């Protein structure tokens, strides 16, 4: 068999199989798209004129517990990459181990933080050992998919945006060696914003740049750094992500097209980040922290060319017209649009208080001092990764409660099951009412999402991370419940003593409704006007968080997660419940702001 010549960067233009090749790429994350829709999204990518799929690989999903790997079903990376090949797409793989991606802890598993001395993204021995074991498994999955094995993967990225971190001069060489020593021989790339280009590279690896506007000379800067090498924008930001309590970011199609046209006119290869964003289902959203902690919303619509539900947008139509100029043959016909249904509202039939649900959690843990989530002896001693943790102790007086900013990230505070307020990064003090005798003081602490980018990555332990003071005295004697709301827990709730109706005497609580679907299910959007803050589960699937402060005012419910006939909807609600659940056939993104009008520093 003749040796195939893969993607090469030996001159000012890429070559593939010895011929000039322009990368026209788009990012679609398999872990953000229901598996039943992988083919739909990739066919739409192909019909837009793109020739290359890029995807991250989320370590935290593939190794949820140390040494226990999952590459099945929704996480079947091999099937996803193979599907791309069947559809005629090349693949650039971005395996991390850190991926950023507006994903909890940038894709790093939370059990790494059990080590109090952990230094993420360095050659610290504890991190190196974990990465080596993960790459042993990951490379065994992806190596048969490489171009040299007649697979579609033509390039592999070394880590991600390390120039913005760059605290260990040996780290990038270590990650490069992780790939090459395990037999990855395809072209290796790095990816950084223009400020990170200077210190994010590694010897023998092609640099690429991430950007949204050209006014800062990033492409010329990259060209000067790598003369006689092909130029590529690895992440052309087609929109932007959203955080709770702010506006929905939009990037107008005409502004985007002007920049992409100029990039292509310069002969530069491009990858659209995102081509299709999808959803950060479950508790997987990340957060930003540039002095202020801001958790991201569930939707990863990103104002991308394909919407969260896979709709064609005006951006898609303009890009299809543009990219068609770079093909000698007509583009494939655009796939048909999938039907959506605004189902009739459904009524809440029964409820179960949080306190009555605790019998279905793992055995509570007793500790004199508070213990952060990651240190709890649950999940085969891998700690708790996501969701809520309930801390309870007893008090004999009221007074001033001070968190000392040790709540991560937000706590509802209860005295004898009655909510008396909340604590978070902004609110550190709370007045507790006086009362007679011993009373139960409870803290329901939510991990709202670990920071995925920036200097705060090592400080992402969640729950209660230090002492809380009542009248200047540290609280002691805690009972701690892991309320991580895994599918097994939601299933166990079914055997609880649910009470009829929608009026729960004490929030928080779980509220259940039934959606009857006649015929084949369709995509829809759940709307919750009259509700406060919480999480929505449909047939055991965690759709993500809802919060009345917006901007996101809906949750995407994919048709494949519904079934013909009866469907169970369970809402965990913290603050305010309504009597019904509503549906819509189109999303409501809330208030908008043009990302192109924001200061450049806010989107780095």
């Amino acid at each position: 068999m003749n040796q195939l010549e893969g993607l090469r960067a030996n001159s000012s233009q890429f070559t593939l199989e010895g011929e000039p090749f322009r990368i026209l790429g788009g990012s679609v994350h398999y872990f953000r798209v229901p598996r039943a829709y992988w083919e739909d999204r990739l066919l739409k990518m192909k019909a837009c004129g793109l020739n290359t799929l890029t995807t991250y690989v989320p370590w935290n999903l593939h190794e949820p517990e140390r040494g226990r790997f999952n590459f099945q079903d929704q996480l079947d990376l091999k099937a996803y990459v193979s599907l791309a090949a069947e559809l005629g797409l090349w693949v650039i793989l971005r395996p991390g181990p850190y991926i950023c991606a507006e994903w909890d802890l940038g894709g790093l598993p939370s059990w790494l933080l059990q080590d109090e001395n952990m230094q993420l993204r360095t050659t610290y021995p504890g991190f190196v050992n974990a990465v080596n074991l993960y790459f042993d498994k990951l490379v065994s999955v992806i190596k048969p998919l490489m171009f040299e094995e007649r697979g579609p993967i033509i390039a592999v990225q070394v880590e991600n945006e390390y120039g913005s971190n760059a605290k260990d001069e040996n780290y990038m060489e270590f990650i490069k060696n992780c790939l090459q020593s395990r037999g990855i021989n395809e072209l290796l790339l790095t990816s950084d914003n223009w400020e990170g280009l200077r210190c994010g590279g590694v010897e023998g690896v092609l640099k690429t740049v991430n950007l949204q506007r050209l006014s800062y000379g990033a492409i010329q800067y990259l060209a000067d750094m790598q003369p006689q090498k092909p130029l590529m924008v690895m992440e052309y930001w087609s929109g932007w992500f959203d955080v709770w309590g702010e506006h929905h970011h939009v990037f107008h199609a005409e502004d985007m097209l002007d920049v992409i046209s100029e990039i292509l006119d310069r002969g530069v290869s491009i990858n659209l980040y995102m081509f299709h964003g999808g959803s950060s289902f479950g508790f997987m959203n990340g957060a930003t922290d540039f002095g202020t902690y801001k958790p991201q919303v569930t939707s990863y619509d990103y104002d991308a060319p394909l919407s969260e539900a896979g709709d064609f947008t005006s951006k898609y139509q303009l890009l299809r017209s543009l990219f068609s100029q770079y093909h000698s043959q007509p583009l494939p016909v655009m796939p048909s649009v999938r039907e959506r249904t605004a189902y009739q509202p459904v009524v809440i039939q029964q409820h179960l208080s949080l306190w009555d649900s605790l019998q279905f959690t793992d055995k509570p843990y007793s500790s004199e001092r508070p213990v952060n989530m990651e240190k709890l002896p649950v999940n085969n001693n891998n700690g708790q990764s996501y969701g809520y943790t309930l801390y309870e102790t007893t008090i004999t007086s009221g007074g001033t409660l001070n968190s000392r900013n040790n709540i991560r990230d937000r706590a509802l505070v209860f005295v004898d099951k009655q909510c008396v307020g909340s604590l978070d990064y902004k609110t550190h003090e709370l007045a507790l009412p006086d009362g007679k005798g011993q009373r139960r003081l409870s803290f329901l602490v939510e991990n709202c999402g670990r920071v995925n980018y920036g200097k705060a990555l090592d400080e992402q332990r969640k729950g209660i991370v230090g002492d809380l003071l009542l009248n200047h005295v540290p609280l002691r004697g805690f009972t701690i419940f892991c309320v991580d709301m895994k599918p097994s827990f939601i299933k166990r709730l079914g055997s609880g003593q649910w009470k009829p109706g929608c009026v729960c005497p004490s929030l928080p609580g779980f509220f259940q409704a039934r959606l009857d679907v006649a015929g084949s299910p369709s995509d829809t959007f759940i709307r919750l006007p009259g509700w406060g803050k919480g999480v929505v589960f449909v047939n055991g699937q965690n759709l993500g968080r809802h919060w009345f402060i917006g901007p996101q005012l809906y949750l995407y419910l994919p048709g494949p997660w519904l079934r013909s006939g009866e469907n169970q909807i369970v809402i965990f609600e913290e603050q305010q419940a309504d009597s019904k659940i509503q549906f819509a056939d189109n999303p409501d993104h809330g208030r908008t702001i043009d990302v192109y009008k924001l200061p450049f520093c806010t989107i780095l």
Side-chain angles (χ1 to χ4, degrees):
M1 183 185 298
N2 292 330
Q3 181 68 34
L4 295 170
E5 186 175 288
L7 189 67
R8 298 288 184 265
N10 298 327
S11 64
S12 59
Q13 193 169 13
F14 286 112
T15 60
L16 181 61
E17 298 176 303
E19 298 294 325
F21 182 71
R22 169 83 69 100
I23 297 168
L24 301 176
S27 291
V28 182
H29 300 152
Y30 58 101
F31 46 94
R32 280 186 158 121
V33 179
R35 181 168 179 166
Y37 284 163
W38 286 354
E39 184 171 4
D40 174 77
R41 306 314 193 241
L42 297 188
L43 283 171
K44 288 170 178 172
M45 170 181 279
K46 183 84 173 168
C48 195
L50 301 183
N51 58 26
T52 304
L53 164 69
T54 72
T55 185
Y56 284 130
V57 180
W59 181 7
N60 61 347
L61 292 190
H62 287 295
E63 193 180 2
E65 296 177 5
R66 192 182 295 266
R68 184 173 74 82
F69 296 98
N70 181 3
F71 284 87
Q72 304 299 314
D73 304 319
Q74 183 66 47
L75 297 175
D76 193 339
L77 175 59
K78 181 179 179 181
Y80 185 65
V81 173
S82 299
L83 174 62
E86 289 171 26
L87 301 179
L89 293 165
W90 298 108
V91 175
I92 295 175
L93 202 66
R94 311 176 76 189
Y98 162 83
I99 62 173
C100 185
E102 287 70 64
W103 197 252
D104 187 275
L105 201 58
L108 301 175
S110 66
W111 46 257
L112 290 167
L113 299 175
Q114 290 185 313
D115 179 349
E116 293 176 4
N117 301 311
M118 176 56 65
Q119 298 170 50
L120 301 173
R121 303 179 75 195
T122 71
T123 51
Y124 173 75
F127 190 70
V128 165
N129 293 339
V131 170
N132 272 319
L133 291 171
Y134 170 57
F135 271 48
D136 283 345
K137 177 63 178 180
L138 176 62
V139 174
S140 74
V141 173
I142 64 174
K143 191 171 187 315
L145 303 167
M146 295 294 148
F147 182 89
E148 70 172 1
E149 306 277 352
R150 298 188 179 274
I153 299 177
I154 54 174
V156 178
Q157 187 173 298
V158 180
E159 235 268 352
N160 188 55
E161 294 185 318
Y162 196 67
S164 302
N165 192 59
K167 57 185 178 182
D168 184 334
E169 62 184 16
N170 298 314
Y171 176 66
M172 288 294 283
E173 189 67 40
F174 160 64
I175 298 297
K176 172 188 169 185
N177 185 60
C178 278
L179 297 165
Q180 292 182 333
S181 66
R182 290 168 174 82
I184 301 300
N185 300 317
E186 306 305 334
L187 181 69
L188 298 182
L189 310 162
T190 61
S191 166
D192 285 285
N193 64 49
W194 72 275
E195 289 188 323
L197 277 173
R198 184 175 54 81
C199 45
V202 60
E203 185 69 29
V205 175
L206 184 72
K207 292 183 175 77
T208 67
V209 69
N210 304 337
L211 54 82
Q212 189 171 65
R213 56 186 83 182
L214 294 175
S215 52
Y216 294 87
I219 290 177
Q220 187 58 51
Y221 184 46
L222 179 63
D224 293 342
M225 294 180 85
Q226 294 184 137
Q228 292 306 303
K229 292 289 184 182
L231 299 170
M232 180 172 180
V233 178
M234 175 58 79
E235 291 186 11
Y236 180 75
W237 302 320
S238 64
W240 203 244
F241 60 87
D242 296 338
V243 298
W244 288 113
E246 297 190 3
H247 287 58
H248 170 58
H249 291 96
V250 296
F251 181 21
H252 291 299
E254 293 76 13
D255 292 332
M256 181 201 73
L257 195 74
D258 287 346
V259 183
I260 293 177
S261 297
E262 185 172 344
I263 288 171
L264 295 177
D265 286 346
R266 294 190 191 186
V268 178
S269 285
I270 192 170
N271 174 62
L272 301 175
Y273 187 99
M274 300 291 296
F275 176 73
H276 167 57
S279 310
S280 301
F281 294 115
F283 296 119
M284 287 298 138
N285 64 277
T288 64
D289 191 342
F290 299 103
T292 303
Y293 172 84
K294 297 179 180 181
Q296 292 144 8
V297 304
T298 294
S299 170
Y300 202 58
D301 178 87
Y302 210 84
D303 197 33
L306 269 191
S307 76
E308 180 176 13
D311 296 333
F312 300 115
T313 67
S314 59
K315 286 181 178 176
Y316 183 99
Q317 305 290 355
L318 290 170
L319 287 171
R320 176 175 156 88
S321 176
L322 176 63
F323 288 137
S324 68
Q325 302 169 29
Y326 293 85
H327 293 267
S328 56
Q329 301 294 322
L331 295 181
V333 174
M334 290 166 56
S336 58
V337 176
R338 292 185 174 272
E339 182 183 338
R340 283 209 292 273
T341 300
Y343 294 105
Q344 290 299 307
V346 294
V347 174
I348 298 298
Q349 297 172 316
Q350 50 186 357
H351 64 267
L352 181 72
S353 78
L354 168 71
W355 318 106
D356 290 337
S357 77
L358 296 179
Q359 61 184 301
F360 303 109
T361 65
D362 292 341
K363 181 181 176 183
Y365 177 60
S366 297
S367 172
E368 265 301 285
R369 294 171 176 267
V371 176
N372 60 283
M373 287 173 61
E374 296 81 3
K375 280 284 197 181
L376 292 175
V378 296
N379 298 318
N380 299 313
N381 286 318
N382 285 274
Q384 181 181 347
S385 295
Y386 313 107
Y388 296 77
T389 310
L390 182 69
Y391 297 79
E392 296 195 328
T393 186
T394 56
I395 56 173
T396 55
S397 72
T400 301
L401 181 67
N402 191 317
S403 72
R404 302 179 72 186
N405 199 24
N406 284 325
I407 298 291
R408 301 286 185 278
D409 298 299
R410 185 174 175 276
L412 296 180
V413 183
F414 304 85
V415 175
D416 286 343
K417 302 182 183 178
Q418 295 301 308
C419 188
V420 295
S422 62
L423 296 167
D424 55 25
Y425 289 96
K426 294 178 181 176
T427 305
H428 300 165
E429 282 197 356
L430 192 62
L432 298 186
D434 288 324
K436 295 180 181 179
Q438 285 198 341
R439 293 176 297 160
R440 183 171 15 165
L441 176 64
S442 307
F443 301 86
L444 181 65
V445 184
E446 180 190 9
N447 164 8
C448 297
R450 293 184 182 85
V451 165
N452 57 269
Y453 178 87
K455 306 297 184 185
L457 217 61
D458 285 342
E459 284 78 55
Q460 292 308 301
R461 292 167 183 86
K462 298 297 185 181
I464 299 179
V465 300
D467 282 337
L468 310 180
L469 307 183
L470 178 57
N471 300 326
H472 307 292
V473 179
L475 294 170
R476 293 289 182 261
F478 286 89
T479 301
I480 307 172
F481 297 83
C482 168
V483 192
D484 54 9
M485 300 192 191
K486 288 183 173 179
S488 55
F489 169 77
I490 300 299
K491 188 174 182 180
R492 289 195 297 272
L493 288 183
S495 57
Q497 297 297 309
W498 293 72
K499 295 179 174 61
C502 63
V503 181
C504 186
S506 65
L507 286 166
F510 295 88
F511 297 80
Q512 192 174 127
R514 188 181 72 200
L515 171 65
D516 289 312
V517 174
S520 182
S522 303
D523 285 6
T524 190
F525 294 95
I526 288 181
R527 293 183 61 247
L528 296 167
W531 295 76
K533 184 181 190 304
V535 191
V536 179
F537 304 84
V538 176
N539 296 330
Q541 291 267 10
N542 186 336
L543 295 191
R545 309 173 203 260
H546 72 89
W547 198 356
F548 76 93
I549 66 172
Q552 181 178 354
L553 300 173
Y554 66 94
L555 280 169
Y556 173 50
L557 173 50
W561 291 359
L562 292 169
R563 46 184 174 246
S564 183
E566 184 178 309
N567 296 269
Q568 181 198 63
I569 303 178
V570 173
I571 298 178
F572 175 70
E573 174 56 51
E574 298 179 24
Q575 298 176 333
Q576 177 184 339
D578 192 54
S579 61
K580 59 184 178 296
I581 300 168
Q582 299 183 31
F583 301 89
D585 53 12
N586 280 299
D588 180 353
H589 292 284
R591 301 159 300 168
T592 64
I593 187 169
D594 183 356
V595 70
Y596 220 46
K597 293 182 169 63
L598 295 174
F600 182 57
C601 62
T602 66
I603 60 166
L604 275 183

